[in-house]
């Protein structure tokens, strides 16, 4: 219900089972709303097999030695999530020292839910890279409004089939009272007969408010449900930064450290004075000084800044990293506040997730994030390949977030400095400095809150 406490730090070791990935496991932490209590265990894949620990290569061994020598590597972070297939290119090159000296990091942004047709074409062009697809056919936008037609944030949504059986499809409305439902993301339910029934449910004081509406997939792409008795509350936001802390991320981490206070001040200065909580999840890979470390939510910006300042980039070796495990930890193990909260993960990475580690996989985590009302804002740094872009964009799209990417004067040379160009398959984007863009997106999310 609140985050008025010092940050609690914890670690997840490589080679240990990740909670939620084994058959029969039950999430020990309470979900944000009781009706969604079965989400974590339902989204677990009982057939998934966890790969045995990979033998450390000479490159990985050297990487671990460098990381263990890094005295500042004692930071908080936690396991996470990811999505499609990653093709392992050569080892990531070290970031040129000239890049670190650049005064600014510039970035662009696209909204794949707004330009959904182009996003679908992007997925079709790269079908061969997808190992665990998230089917977005028959997508529908659900809007929840009160008796006066004002949006109602953080309302839980569930779907039943024509026979009344609940489908493994959940979502929560965002600050603007909207959510995307994509019931066919789970292959077991793609043949379900219409009509489907969407139930909206929230709690006001001790009263449970609920309303239903029928939906025939393929006939309507938008639903509006009126929830009588819902009342707006003071805006709240939980923001978790999930950061790839391997050596090639030094420049981006340093920039985030320098700009975090301005980002926080920009969000806090909004009308309505939102109560904002911050968490940090950092990850590297197996054989590094740490696997995943987390610092739980706090409203103490100084304490959060201290953890962020202590974070140093180091390690790395092979190209993919432990992004899946870090996102899974952020979704399931951080203390997200319950009702009447906007929830955002800012994922900053320059490499795709390992797909050979077994569960958790990104498709599980994308659905769990959507169920818990967590938007993922994926930020692709220099060096991110097409498979990594595919993962990051689909997780962001599925959860209603945006895809952000760094831009350069010469897209083939990150050392060329700030610019307007990128190698990602995007168009129609504007460019800002990264800190201003992140602050803008967080402010835009909060500005949609009724009364803000």
């Amino acid at each position: 219900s609140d985050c008025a406490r010092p940050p609690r730090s914890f670690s997840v070791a490589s080679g240990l089972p990740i909670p939620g990935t084994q058959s029969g496991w039950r999430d020990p932490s309470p979900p944000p709303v009781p009706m969604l209590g079965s989400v974590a265990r339902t989204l677990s894949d009982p057939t998934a097999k966890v790969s045995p620990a990979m033998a450390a290569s000479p490159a990985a061994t050297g990487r671990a030695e460098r990381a263990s020598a890094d005295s500042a590597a004692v930071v908080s972070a936690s396991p996470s999530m990811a999505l499609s297939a990653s093709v392992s290119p050569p080892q990531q090159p070290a970031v040129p020292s000239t890049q670190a000296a650049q005064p600014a990091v510039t970035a662009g942004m696209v909204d794949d839910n707004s330009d959904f047709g182009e996003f679908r074409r992007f997925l079709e062009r790269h079908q061969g890279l997808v190992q665990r697809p998230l089917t977005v056919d028959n997508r529908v936008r659900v809007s929840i409004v009160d008796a006066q037609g004002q949006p109602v944030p953080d309302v839980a949504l569930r779907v039943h089939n024509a026979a009344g059986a609940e489908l493994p499809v959940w979502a929560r409305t965002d600050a603007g009272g909207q959510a995307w439902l994509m019931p066919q993301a789970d292959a077991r339910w793609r043949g379900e007969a219409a009509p489907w029934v969407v139930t909206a449910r929230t709690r006001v004081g001790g009263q449970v408010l609920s309303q239903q509406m029928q939906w025939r997939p393929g006939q309507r792409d938008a639903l509006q449900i009126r929830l009588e008795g819902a009342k707006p509350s003071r805006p709240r936001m939980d923001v978790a930064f999930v950061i790839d802390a391997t050596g090639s991320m030094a420049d981006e981490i340093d920039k985030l450290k320098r700009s975090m206070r301005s980002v926080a001040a920009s969000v806090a200065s909004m009308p309505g004075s939102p109560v904002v909580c911050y968490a940090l999840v950092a990850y590297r890979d197996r054989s590094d000084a740490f696997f995943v470390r987390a610092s739980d939510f706090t409203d103490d910006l100084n304490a959060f800044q201290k953890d962020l300042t202590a974070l140093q980039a180091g390690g790395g070796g092979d190209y993919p990293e432990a992004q899946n495990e870090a996102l899974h930890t952020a979704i399931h193990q951080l203390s997200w506040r319950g009702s009447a909260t906007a929830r955002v993960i800012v994922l900053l990475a320059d490499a795709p997730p390992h797909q050979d580690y077994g569960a958790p996989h990104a498709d599980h985590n994308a659905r769990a994030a959507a169920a818990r009302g967590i938007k993922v804002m994926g930020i692709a740094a220099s060096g991110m390949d097409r498979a990594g872009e595919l993962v990051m964009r689909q997780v962001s799209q599925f959860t209603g977030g945006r895809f952000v990417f760094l831009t350069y004067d010469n897209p083939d040379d990150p050392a060329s400095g700030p610019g307007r160009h990128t190698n990602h398959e995007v168009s129609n984007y504007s460019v800002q400095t990264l800190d201003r863009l992140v602050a803008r997106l967080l402010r835009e999310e909060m500005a949609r809150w009724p009364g803000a």
Side-chain angles (χ1 to χ4, degrees):
S1 61
D2 68 77
C3 59
R5 58 183 178 274
R8 174 183 65 91
S9 299
F10 60 93
S11 298
V12 174
S14 63
L16 296 179
I18 303 297
T21 63
Q22 304 300 311
S23 177
W25 184 85
R26 297 296 182 267
D27 189 348
S29 61
V33 168
M35 67 174 283
L36 298 180
S38 62
V39 169
R41 64 176 179 267
T42 305
L43 295 184
S44 302
D45 186 354
T47 65
K49 296 180 180 179
V50 178
S51 303
M54 298 176 64
S57 64
T61 303
R63 170 183 56 166
E65 292 173 350
R66 292 192 305 272
S68 61
D70 185 355
S71 61
V74 185
V75 183
S76 334
S78 97
S80 164
M81 83 176 194
L83 192 64
S84 71
S86 57
V87 180
S88 296
Q91 291 184 5
Q92 282 179 279
V95 177
S97 58
T98 53
Q99 182 183 355
Q102 293 296 336
V105 176
T106 51
M109 178 275 294
V110 293
D111 185 344
D112 284 324
N113 277 307
S114 293
D115 195 358
F116 192 58
E118 177 54 38
F119 176 66
R120 293 290 299 272
R121 289 187 287 273
F122 168 77
L123 294 179
E124 291 170 1
R125 288 195 297 270
H126 301 291
Q127 291 183 44
L129 296 179
V130 180
Q131 288 183 352
R132 300 183 61 87
L134 277 169
T135 301
V136 294
D137 295 339
N138 292 321
R139 179 191 68 151
V140 64
R141 184 180 71 243
V142 181
S143 301
I144 308 298
V145 298
D146 62 15
Q148 289 71 44
Q150 294 298 308
V152 185
D154 207 22
V155 173
L157 304 176
R158 64 201 321 176
V159 180
H160 292 79
N161 65 8
E166 185 175 11
L167 310 187
V169 180
W170 301 271
R172 298 183 71 81
T173 58
D174 61 15
Q178 295 188 352
W180 295 102
L181 286 177
M182 287 159 275
Q184 292 185 304
D186 190 309
R188 293 171 294 177
W189 298 95
R190 289 176 194 162
E192 285 297 313
W196 294 344
V197 177
V198 178
T199 301
R201 184 177 177 182
T202 191
R203 188 183 297 274
V204 177
Q207 181 183 8
V208 175
L209 306 179
S210 181
Q211 189 60 262
Q212 293 184 336
M213 178 172 285
Q214 282 194 353
W215 168 38
R216 290 185 177 273
Q219 294 184 4
R220 302 178 64 181
D221 58 4
L223 298 176
Q224 185 180 87
I225 301 177
R226 189 175 296 272
L227 205 55
E228 303 284 348
K231 298 179 181 179
S233 59
R234 183 183 178 186
R236 308 193 302 181
M237 174 176 275
D238 289 347
V239 184
F241 288 85
V242 178
I243 301 174
D244 178 345
T246 54
S248 58
M249 288 290 294
D251 183 51
E252 287 81 1
I253 291 175
D254 287 343
K255 177 61 179 177
L256 184 61
K257 291 177 183 178
R258 295 193 300 270
S259 61
M260 187 59 223
R261 285 195 179 277
S262 65
V263 171
S266 177
V267 175
S269 65
M270 290 186 57
S273 302
V275 180
V276 185
C277 300
Y278 297 95
L280 175 65
V281 176
Y283 67 94
R284 290 183 180 172
D285 206 354
R286 293 177 176 176
S287 301
D288 281 333
F290 67 83
F291 189 58
V292 178
R293 289 179 177 165
S295 183
D296 209 348
F297 283 109
T298 181
D299 63 352
D300 186 340
L301 185 59
N302 289 328
F304 171 81
Q305 186 80 32
K306 182 177 179 181
D307 282 343
L308 181 60
T309 299
L311 180 62
Q312 300 293 324
D318 65 346
Y319 184 53
E321 311 296 356
Q323 184 188 116
N324 285 352
E325 294 75 13
L327 277 173
H328 182 94
T329 297
I331 293 167
H332 292 286
Q333 301 299 325
L334 294 181
S335 301
W336 300 92
R337 283 178 290 179
S339 60
T341 304
R343 308 174 189 90
V344 179
I345 286 177
V346 179
L347 170 63
L348 180 59
D350 67 350
H354 265 286
Q355 299 296 333
D356 52 351
Y357 286 176
H361 295 292
D363 55 320
H364 302 145
N365 290 307
R367 288 157 50 209
R372 290 178 175 236
I374 303 171
K375 286 189 175 183
V376 178
M377 181 197 305
I379 303 178
S382 61
M384 180 69 77
D385 69 358
R386 196 67 69 214
E389 176 186 350
L390 181 67
V391 170
M392 191 171 279
R393 287 180 70 171
Q394 186 148 32
V395 171
S396 299
Q397 177 273 331
F398 196 87
T399 59
R402 314 285 183 87
F403 173 60
V404 178
F405 45 91
L406 301 193
T407 58
Y408 305 93
D409 184 54
N410 178 355
D412 296 319
D413 180 14
S416 62
R420 303 186 57 82
H421 305 289
T422 177
N423 282 325
H424 295 294
E425 291 187 24
V426 292
S427 59
N428 300 323
Y429 61 89
S430 59
V431 171
Q432 291 179 279
T433 60
L434 179 60
D435 57 336
R436 290 182 179 179
L437 181 55
V438 171
R440 170 191 149 197
L441 293 176
L442 294 178
R443 284 177 62 90
E444 286 179 355
E445 182 67 18
M446 280 277 62
R448 302 171 65 214
W449 197 280

